Short mmCIF file of all heavy atoms in Angstrom, two decimals:
data_model
loop_
_atom_site.label_atom_id
_atom_site.label_comp_id
_atom_site.label_asym_id
_atom_site.label_seq_id
_atom_site.Cartn_x
_atom_site.Cartn_y
_atom_site.Cartn_z
N GLU A 201 -4.13 10.92 -31.06
CA GLU A 201 -3.40 12.01 -30.36
C GLU A 201 -3.38 11.73 -28.86
O GLU A 201 -4.40 11.44 -28.33
CB GLU A 201 -4.02 13.42 -30.50
CG GLU A 201 -3.32 14.56 -29.94
CD GLU A 201 -2.10 15.12 -30.67
OE1 GLU A 201 -2.17 14.84 -31.95
OE2 GLU A 201 -1.30 15.75 -30.32
N VAL A 202 -2.21 11.82 -28.14
CA VAL A 202 -2.11 11.44 -26.75
C VAL A 202 -1.73 12.72 -26.00
O VAL A 202 -1.16 13.73 -26.45
CB VAL A 202 -1.07 10.35 -26.43
CG1 VAL A 202 -1.44 9.14 -27.14
CG2 VAL A 202 0.26 10.91 -26.81
N ILE A 203 -2.15 12.69 -24.65
CA ILE A 203 -1.72 13.76 -23.74
C ILE A 203 -0.87 13.04 -22.76
O ILE A 203 -1.23 12.07 -22.12
CB ILE A 203 -2.97 14.36 -23.04
CG1 ILE A 203 -3.84 15.00 -24.06
CG2 ILE A 203 -2.51 15.32 -21.95
CD1 ILE A 203 -5.20 15.36 -23.60
N LEU A 204 0.34 13.65 -22.47
CA LEU A 204 1.22 13.11 -21.46
C LEU A 204 0.87 13.94 -20.21
O LEU A 204 0.82 15.08 -20.12
CB LEU A 204 2.74 13.35 -22.00
CG LEU A 204 3.21 12.55 -23.06
CD1 LEU A 204 4.71 12.83 -23.33
CD2 LEU A 204 2.83 11.14 -23.08
N LEU A 205 0.82 13.13 -19.17
CA LEU A 205 0.49 13.62 -17.82
C LEU A 205 1.42 13.13 -16.82
O LEU A 205 1.61 11.89 -16.69
CB LEU A 205 -0.93 13.35 -17.44
CG LEU A 205 -1.57 13.95 -16.17
CD1 LEU A 205 -1.83 15.45 -16.41
CD2 LEU A 205 -2.97 13.33 -15.95
N GLU A 206 2.06 14.05 -16.07
CA GLU A 206 3.04 13.61 -15.08
C GLU A 206 2.37 12.77 -13.95
O GLU A 206 1.21 13.19 -13.51
CB GLU A 206 3.89 14.76 -14.50
CG GLU A 206 4.77 15.30 -15.54
CD GLU A 206 5.59 16.52 -15.05
OE1 GLU A 206 5.34 17.02 -13.95
OE2 GLU A 206 6.55 17.00 -15.74
N GLU A 207 3.02 11.71 -13.51
CA GLU A 207 2.39 10.85 -12.55
C GLU A 207 1.80 11.57 -11.22
O GLU A 207 0.78 11.21 -10.80
CB GLU A 207 3.30 9.67 -12.21
CG GLU A 207 3.45 8.72 -13.34
CD GLU A 207 4.55 7.74 -13.22
OE1 GLU A 207 5.37 7.86 -12.30
OE2 GLU A 207 4.66 6.74 -13.99
N PRO A 208 2.67 12.43 -10.62
CA PRO A 208 2.06 13.13 -9.48
C PRO A 208 0.81 13.85 -9.78
O PRO A 208 -0.17 13.80 -8.92
CB PRO A 208 3.19 14.08 -8.98
CG PRO A 208 4.39 13.49 -9.65
CD PRO A 208 4.05 12.88 -10.93
N GLN A 209 0.67 14.50 -10.89
CA GLN A 209 -0.56 15.16 -11.27
C GLN A 209 -1.63 14.27 -11.53
O GLN A 209 -2.79 14.33 -11.11
CB GLN A 209 -0.28 16.05 -12.47
CG GLN A 209 -1.44 16.97 -12.85
CD GLN A 209 -1.11 17.84 -14.07
OE1 GLN A 209 0.01 17.80 -14.63
NE2 GLN A 209 -2.14 18.74 -14.29
N ALA A 210 -1.42 13.05 -12.16
CA ALA A 210 -2.37 12.01 -12.46
C ALA A 210 -2.89 11.42 -11.10
O ALA A 210 -4.06 11.18 -10.93
CB ALA A 210 -1.71 10.89 -13.28
N ALA A 211 -1.96 11.28 -10.09
CA ALA A 211 -2.48 10.72 -8.82
C ALA A 211 -3.27 11.72 -8.21
O ALA A 211 -4.32 11.28 -7.57
CB ALA A 211 -1.20 10.52 -7.96
N PHE A 212 -3.04 13.01 -8.20
CA PHE A 212 -3.93 13.99 -7.63
C PHE A 212 -5.24 13.99 -8.30
O PHE A 212 -6.30 14.08 -7.62
CB PHE A 212 -3.28 15.36 -7.73
CG PHE A 212 -4.13 16.45 -7.05
CD1 PHE A 212 -4.38 16.44 -5.73
CD2 PHE A 212 -4.57 17.49 -7.81
CE1 PHE A 212 -5.11 17.49 -5.08
CE2 PHE A 212 -5.42 18.56 -7.21
CZ PHE A 212 -5.65 18.49 -5.80
N TYR A 213 -5.31 13.96 -9.74
CA TYR A 213 -6.58 13.86 -10.43
C TYR A 213 -7.38 12.69 -9.98
O TYR A 213 -8.63 12.68 -9.78
CB TYR A 213 -6.39 13.99 -11.88
CG TYR A 213 -5.95 15.28 -12.42
CD1 TYR A 213 -5.36 15.32 -13.68
CD2 TYR A 213 -6.10 16.50 -11.69
CE1 TYR A 213 -4.98 16.51 -14.22
CE2 TYR A 213 -5.69 17.65 -12.33
CZ TYR A 213 -5.23 17.62 -13.54
OH TYR A 213 -4.84 18.93 -13.99
N GLY A 214 -6.60 11.54 -9.76
CA GLY A 214 -7.40 10.33 -9.32
C GLY A 214 -7.95 10.55 -7.97
O GLY A 214 -9.07 10.04 -7.61
N TRP A 215 -7.21 11.16 -7.00
CA TRP A 215 -7.70 11.40 -5.74
C TRP A 215 -8.97 12.29 -5.80
O TRP A 215 -9.95 12.13 -5.10
CB TRP A 215 -6.66 12.05 -4.83
CG TRP A 215 -7.02 12.39 -3.43
CD1 TRP A 215 -7.00 11.46 -2.39
CD2 TRP A 215 -7.61 13.57 -2.94
NE1 TRP A 215 -7.48 12.12 -1.26
CE2 TRP A 215 -7.81 13.42 -1.58
CE3 TRP A 215 -7.82 14.83 -3.49
CZ2 TRP A 215 -8.35 14.35 -0.73
CZ3 TRP A 215 -8.37 15.81 -2.73
CH2 TRP A 215 -8.65 15.60 -1.36
N LEU A 216 -8.87 13.44 -6.58
CA LEU A 216 -10.03 14.28 -6.75
C LEU A 216 -11.23 13.46 -7.28
O LEU A 216 -12.38 13.79 -6.81
CB LEU A 216 -9.70 15.48 -7.70
CG LEU A 216 -8.80 16.51 -7.17
CD1 LEU A 216 -8.52 17.57 -8.32
CD2 LEU A 216 -9.52 17.30 -6.00
N HIS A 217 -11.00 12.65 -8.18
CA HIS A 217 -12.12 11.80 -8.70
C HIS A 217 -12.75 10.92 -7.73
O HIS A 217 -14.02 10.86 -7.67
CB HIS A 217 -11.56 11.05 -9.92
CG HIS A 217 -12.67 10.14 -10.49
ND1 HIS A 217 -13.68 10.69 -11.35
CD2 HIS A 217 -12.90 8.82 -10.55
CE1 HIS A 217 -14.44 9.77 -11.69
NE2 HIS A 217 -14.01 8.57 -11.18
N ARG A 218 -11.95 10.34 -6.86
CA ARG A 218 -12.46 9.42 -5.84
C ARG A 218 -13.17 10.24 -4.78
O ARG A 218 -14.13 9.76 -4.11
CB ARG A 218 -11.29 8.63 -5.26
CG ARG A 218 -10.83 7.49 -6.12
CD ARG A 218 -9.97 6.50 -5.27
NE ARG A 218 -8.87 7.23 -4.69
CZ ARG A 218 -7.70 7.66 -5.29
NH1 ARG A 218 -7.52 7.45 -6.65
NH2 ARG A 218 -6.72 8.30 -4.73
N ARG A 219 -12.80 11.45 -4.53
CA ARG A 219 -13.42 12.36 -3.53
C ARG A 219 -14.34 13.44 -4.19
O ARG A 219 -14.52 14.51 -3.69
CB ARG A 219 -12.29 13.02 -2.78
CG ARG A 219 -11.36 12.23 -2.00
CD ARG A 219 -12.08 11.91 -0.76
NE ARG A 219 -11.23 11.24 0.20
CZ ARG A 219 -11.55 10.68 1.28
NH1 ARG A 219 -12.83 10.76 1.60
NH2 ARG A 219 -10.79 9.95 2.05
N SER A 220 -14.94 13.02 -5.35
CA SER A 220 -15.75 14.00 -6.04
C SER A 220 -16.67 14.79 -5.24
O SER A 220 -17.14 15.94 -5.46
CB SER A 220 -16.30 13.39 -7.30
OG SER A 220 -17.26 12.42 -6.93
N GLU A 221 -17.34 14.08 -4.24
CA GLU A 221 -18.36 14.70 -3.52
C GLU A 221 -17.87 15.54 -2.23
O GLU A 221 -18.54 16.38 -1.87
CB GLU A 221 -19.28 13.54 -2.94
CG GLU A 221 -19.92 12.85 -4.01
CD GLU A 221 -20.94 13.67 -4.83
OE1 GLU A 221 -21.64 14.52 -4.31
OE2 GLU A 221 -20.95 13.37 -6.05
N ASP A 222 -16.72 15.19 -1.69
CA ASP A 222 -16.32 15.74 -0.46
C ASP A 222 -14.85 16.35 -0.51
O ASP A 222 -14.33 16.69 0.61
CB ASP A 222 -16.44 14.78 0.69
CG ASP A 222 -15.50 13.63 0.57
OD1 ASP A 222 -14.84 13.42 -0.36
OD2 ASP A 222 -15.43 12.78 1.54
N TRP A 223 -14.21 16.55 -1.63
CA TRP A 223 -12.81 16.98 -1.56
C TRP A 223 -12.68 18.31 -0.96
O TRP A 223 -11.52 18.66 -0.32
CB TRP A 223 -12.17 16.78 -2.90
CG TRP A 223 -12.69 17.79 -3.95
CD1 TRP A 223 -13.75 17.58 -4.89
CD2 TRP A 223 -12.19 19.13 -4.20
NE1 TRP A 223 -13.86 18.73 -5.68
CE2 TRP A 223 -13.02 19.68 -5.26
CE3 TRP A 223 -11.21 19.95 -3.63
CZ2 TRP A 223 -12.70 20.96 -5.78
CZ3 TRP A 223 -10.91 21.18 -4.16
CH2 TRP A 223 -11.80 21.70 -5.18
N ARG A 224 -13.64 19.13 -1.07
CA ARG A 224 -13.55 20.51 -0.43
C ARG A 224 -13.51 20.52 1.03
O ARG A 224 -13.08 21.48 1.67
CB ARG A 224 -14.78 21.33 -1.05
CG ARG A 224 -14.54 21.76 -2.42
CD ARG A 224 -15.57 22.75 -2.94
NE ARG A 224 -15.37 23.22 -4.20
CZ ARG A 224 -15.72 22.58 -5.35
NH1 ARG A 224 -16.21 21.47 -5.31
NH2 ARG A 224 -15.39 23.11 -6.58
N GLN A 225 -13.84 19.41 1.61
CA GLN A 225 -13.75 19.27 3.03
C GLN A 225 -12.24 19.09 3.50
O GLN A 225 -11.91 19.35 4.66
CB GLN A 225 -14.56 18.09 3.67
CG GLN A 225 -16.05 18.23 3.44
CD GLN A 225 -16.73 16.95 3.91
OE1 GLN A 225 -16.24 16.14 4.49
NE2 GLN A 225 -18.09 16.90 3.53
N TYR A 226 -11.49 18.60 2.50
CA TYR A 226 -10.09 18.37 2.82
C TYR A 226 -9.08 19.50 2.34
O TYR A 226 -8.01 19.58 2.82
CB TYR A 226 -9.67 16.95 2.17
CG TYR A 226 -10.36 15.77 2.70
CD1 TYR A 226 -11.56 15.41 2.03
CD2 TYR A 226 -10.03 15.13 3.73
CE1 TYR A 226 -12.16 14.32 2.55
CE2 TYR A 226 -10.65 14.03 4.29
CZ TYR A 226 -11.73 13.67 3.65
OH TYR A 226 -12.52 12.57 4.19
N LEU A 227 -9.55 20.13 1.24
CA LEU A 227 -8.75 21.28 0.73
C LEU A 227 -9.55 22.57 0.78
O LEU A 227 -10.65 22.54 0.40
CB LEU A 227 -8.35 20.86 -0.69
CG LEU A 227 -7.57 19.60 -0.89
CD1 LEU A 227 -7.32 19.40 -2.51
CD2 LEU A 227 -6.09 19.81 -0.27
N LYS A 228 -8.74 23.60 1.10
CA LYS A 228 -9.29 24.96 1.17
C LYS A 228 -8.48 25.79 0.26
O LYS A 228 -7.41 25.57 -0.08
CB LYS A 228 -9.29 25.58 2.64
CG LYS A 228 -9.84 24.63 3.63
CD LYS A 228 -11.28 24.74 3.65
CE LYS A 228 -12.03 23.98 4.83
NZ LYS A 228 -12.33 22.62 4.64
N VAL A 229 -9.08 26.97 -0.18
CA VAL A 229 -8.31 27.95 -1.00
C VAL A 229 -7.05 28.24 -0.33
O VAL A 229 -6.99 28.57 0.90
CB VAL A 229 -9.19 29.18 -1.19
CG1 VAL A 229 -8.34 30.24 -1.93
CG2 VAL A 229 -10.39 28.88 -2.09
#
């Protein structure tokens, strides 16, 4: 079974993963 993920969303998830320790410094509610 596969999950299709749109590329912009995949890129954002990749960014979040690379910034797992400090992404909250860049993004706020």
Side-chain angles (χ1 to χ4, degrees):
E201 184 82 21
V202 298
I203 298 169
L204 298 184
L205 188 63
E206 292 181 350
E207 289 170 347
Q209 188 175 4
F212 181 64
Y213 287 162
W215 181 85
L216 285 175
H217 179 72
R218 285 188 308 279
R219 295 276 187 193
S220 62
E221 299 297 320
D222 65 352
W223 69 268
R224 286 183 173 85
Q225 293 176 14
Y226 297 93
L227 298 175
K228 308 281 187 267
V229 173

